Amino acid sequence: MSASSENTASQKLPLQGVGGLLNNVKGDRWIWLIVILLSVLSLLAVYSSTGTLAYKRGQANEFILMKHLFMIVGGLALMYFSHLLDYRYYAGISKLLMAITIPLLLYTLVFGNHVNDASRWISIPGTGLTFQTSDLAKLALITYLARTLSRKQENIKDVKQSFIPIMGSVCLVFILIALANLSTALMLFGVSILLLIIGRISIKQISVVCAAGAVLLLAVVFLGPRRTTYISRVHAFMHPEMANPDKSFQSDHAKIAIATGGVFGKGPGNSTERNYLPHPYSDFIYATIIEEYGLIGGFALVGIYLFLLYRCIKIVTKAPKAFGALLACGLSFSLTIQAFANMAVAVGLGPVTGVPLPLVSMGGTSILFTSVAFGIILSVSKDIDEPRKVVVGEIREVAA
């Protein structure tokens, strides 16, 4: 072989490797596009809103951006590999996840890192990263409910075999998360109720679950360790004219950011309220986006999440198996409800919470678990097209 032919072959090998990687990208292409759009927007918004954080830490703004970029790339890698795995395997994995999640939630409540009077995180030894166990709990509970509901359809009305295990898992995870993170617990509880309705649980039994959840909610709000915080936030939201300025500081500056953004915004990197908002890169990143990109950017982001929900609903309606439909339904509703909860807080339609904007807010392990959820949804969507390919192949073989 000549030197020129060897050089040509060596140049083709990396390209073939990239091409082989792209050939393995399956599932709904629109969801892949949505993930890429949200990731790019996240990089722009985080870079713009972390100047104050970089100053406080004594770090360069670019260093924080590169760390965030590393988490996004890691999330895309997890999303890629999780979408390659047949979604049916997640039924067995869900049992293991639940067995790990419950002890981790208990450990977090007792020994977790306390930030703002809440114990939500545990440190990952040797990495310098913190891990929010509720992110794992969301994934574990949704996959477990999808598995249980799909396998118990023949005796779904049976109290002992079906209802008690389902109610026990929902209420146990709810109370363990709610003691430190009530907003996440409420959203997960709502998604669980939606899955129970779709899974043909009787209205009477669902009412019992809702009643048990209401009792646990009242206990957490009035007797829990963060009862003062919960009550003050709700009071500040319901009566803003009577609220302590310190309690309404975040929501006030978020409203200022939205009001000064106007229709077209101030332009990328020109936000001023990012210097006043305590968390402009996570909890209130939507307000920063509207300030810089205006109402057009804000509505465009809402449209992206609505389109994501639309694509996921199409996947649910076309899924050939009950487990796949329930799994995609639970994960998609969890992501979109979380997104709209974050945006509602930013525009003043809800009390202040600590819920990030999926794939947009700066975060560590939350980005990774969100990416895994997207990967599982794509795995379900991949299963929709494969039977068609098999049928088409068989028809061609017969015709030949």
Side-chain angles (χ1 to χ4, degrees):
M1 182 181 292
S2 63
S4 60
S5 61
E6 288 180 356
N7 291 334
T8 303
S10 63
Q11 291 175 359
K12 287 182 177 179
L13 285 176
L15 295 177
Q16 290 175 353
V18 174
L21 189 68
L22 293 177
N23 288 335
N24 288 327
V25 173
K26 301 177 181 178
D28 192 295
R29 298 303 172 93
W30 286 107
I31 294 182
W32 280 105
L33 179 60
I34 289 170
V35 170
I36 293 172
L37 287 175
L38 293 178
S39 299
V40 172
L41 178 60
S42 176
L43 290 172
L44 294 173
V46 167
Y47 182 63
S48 174
S49 58
T50 50
T52 303
L53 178 65
Y55 176 78
K56 290 179 180 179
R57 293 181 177 180
Q59 300 173 339
N61 200 4
E62 289 76 13
F63 176 80
I64 297 178
L65 176 65
M66 292 306 297
K67 185 178 178 181
H68 182 60
L69 175 61
F70 175 77
M71 298 305 298
I72 288 179
V73 172
L76 290 174
L78 284 176
M79 179 177 169
Y80 175 78
F81 288 111
S82 59
H83 106 284
L84 291 179
L85 183 64
D86 193 308
Y87 74 89
R88 297 173 186 85
Y89 287 106
Y90 292 106
I93 295 174
S94 67
K95 296 171 64 178
L96 177 61
L97 289 179
M98 284 296 290
I100 296 173
T101 295
I102 302 302
L104 273 180
L105 289 173
L106 289 169
Y107 178 86
T108 304
L109 288 174
V110 180
F111 302 106
N113 299 337
H114 286 264
V115 180
N116 297 329
D117 298 325
S119 181
R120 303 178 184 177
W121 297 268
I122 56 176
S123 299
I124 302 176
T127 63
L129 299 175
T130 56
F131 164 48
Q132 191 165 346
T133 49
S134 61
D135 292 328
L136 175 62
K138 287 188 289 186
L139 192 62
L141 182 60
I142 290 173
T143 53
Y144 178 78
L145 285 179
R147 173 188 179 275
T148 305
L149 289 170
S150 61
R151 295 195 174 188
K152 302 285 187 180
Q153 283 300 305
E154 293 184 359
N155 53 357
I156 196 66
K157 308 296 183 181
D158 189 280
V159 175
K160 185 178 180 180
Q161 295 187 19
S162 301
F163 177 66
I164 292 179
I166 291 172
M167 178 181 175
S169 61
V170 171
C171 292
L172 180 59
V173 173
F174 172 77
I175 190 65
L176 290 177
I177 297 177
L179 290 171
N181 192 346
L182 183 59
S183 55
T184 299
L186 286 173
M187 286 187 290
L188 184 56
F189 187 82
V191 172
S192 300
I193 295 300
L194 285 174
L195 282 179
L196 297 187
I197 295 173
I198 297 172
R200 296 177 56 246
I201 295 290
S202 68
I203 298 299
K204 181 179 179 180
Q205 292 177 340
I206 292 176
S207 301
V208 173
V209 178
C210 292
V215 172
L216 294 175
L217 174 63
L218 292 174
V220 169
V221 171
F222 293 104
L223 301 175
R226 302 195 70 210
R227 56 186 178 276
T228 304
T229 302
Y230 295 148
I231 294 174
S232 64
R233 285 182 177 178
V234 174
H235 184 269
F237 173 71
M238 298 297 294
H239 305 284
E241 71 284 353
M242 301 173 57
N244 188 326
D246 293 336
K247 300 296 183 182
S248 60
F249 181 83
Q250 299 180 86
S251 57
D252 289 343
H253 280 279
K255 293 174 184 176
I256 293 173
I258 294 170
T260 56
V263 177
F264 301 102
K266 298 178 179 179
N270 293 325
S271 169
T272 54
E273 290 304 314
R274 63 187 176 185
N275 300 317
Y276 301 97
L277 283 167
H279 302 285
Y281 45 83
S282 57
D283 297 350
F284 287 91
I285 196 168
Y286 186 62
T288 306
I289 291 172
I290 294 180
E291 185 181 6
E292 294 187 348
Y293 299 94
L295 291 177
I296 294 176
F299 282 122
L301 187 56
V302 171
I304 290 174
Y305 283 111
L306 285 175
F307 186 63
L308 169 65
L309 181 61
Y310 166 73
R311 296 304 305 178
C312 291
I313 290 175
K314 289 198 70 174
I315 294 170
V316 171
T317 56
K318 294 182 179 180
K321 302 291 184 181
F323 174 67
L326 291 168
L327 187 59
C329 179
L331 292 175
S332 60
F333 274 109
S334 175
L335 291 171
T336 50
I337 289 174
Q338 178 180 329
F340 288 113
N342 175 279
M343 292 186 285
V345 170
V347 300
L349 295 178
V352 176
T353 64
V355 178
L357 193 59
L359 281 188
V360 177
S361 294
M362 187 182 78
T365 54
S366 62
I367 292 179
L368 302 182
F369 281 104
T370 300
S371 300
V372 171
F374 272 106
I376 296 174
I377 294 172
L378 286 168
S379 178
V380 177
S381 70
K382 180 183 66 175
D383 190 60
I384 296 173
D385 296 328
E386 287 180 350
R388 296 178 182 175
K389 295 178 180 179
V390 172
V391 172
V392 171
E394 290 177 352
I395 292 174
R396 288 177 178 175
E397 288 180 3
V398 172

